[in-house]
Amino acid sequence: MQYNTYTTATRTAALALLGTTPDACVAEQTGIPVSTLRNWRVERNLPSYRLFRTTARYVKLLRQHPGGLTARHVSKVLGVTRQAAFLMLHVLKRRRIIECVMLPNPRRHGGRAHILLWQIAQEDTHAPTPCH
């Protein structure tokens, strides 16, 4: 098996572009395979370019609702499936941009005991219990 080696200049240029443009565009400019670029980006915990543009919609929506929103409300407002909203909310939580807050459900009639609300992460939150 033969491994490709890239010049320092090519590697430095590619690393500088990761996350700022799509991986396919970086691959065209540098001649490095997309899979290699994706692996380098993942190793450095850099979000993909498309994913970053998508997350801006979620952050903007949650900033408009400081009390928090459920995943169901987020999916309705943004016009995405609940699964897609749930996955993106968890991506933002891993990046510590937002947080999940668990509140008791006042309308519990045999249903869930708690409501999960997503909101912009605060530095000092002593109120509701964070989700784990």
Side-chain angles (χ1 to χ4, degrees):
M1 178 180 255
Q2 182 181 12
Y3 292 98
N4 291 332
T5 57
Y6 305 102
T7 63
T8 305
T10 303
R11 188 180 186 100
T12 304
L15 291 175
L17 293 173
L18 290 178
T20 61
T21 59
D23 293 345
C25 292
V26 178
E28 282 181 22
Q29 293 175 4
T30 60
I32 300 173
V34 175
S35 59
T36 301
L37 293 170
R38 186 181 66 243
N39 289 336
W40 289 354
R41 185 175 42 73
V42 169
E43 286 172 2
R44 287 162 180 76
N45 292 326
L46 295 172
S48 65
Y49 179 70
R50 185 181 315 134
L51 186 60
F52 177 77
R53 285 190 357 211
T54 303
T55 58
R57 296 185 322 154
Y58 287 81
V59 173
K60 182 179 177 183
L61 176 65
L62 291 172
R63 281 191 204 284
Q64 294 171 353
H65 301 278
L69 291 173
T70 63
R72 179 175 290 181
H73 288 117
V74 171
S75 68
K76 279 184 180 179
V77 171
L78 295 179
V80 297
T81 63
R82 277 192 310 190
Q83 293 84 0
F86 189 75
L87 290 173
M88 185 58 73
L89 291 168
H90 278 279
V91 166
L92 292 171
K93 182 179 182 230
R94 279 195 303 267
R95 293 182 188 168
R96 294 184 175 95
I97 297 171
I98 65 171
E99 62 189 3
C100 180
V101 178
M102 191 170 18
L103 298 175
N105 186 356
R107 300 183 319 169
R108 181 177 185 223
H109 299 290
R112 295 185 177 180
H114 294 88
I115 298 173
L116 300 179
L117 293 178
W118 298 91
Q119 61 189 19
I120 298 294
Q122 316 249 324
E123 290 182 19
D124 187 30
T125 55
H126 293 293
T129 310
C131 301
H132 296 287

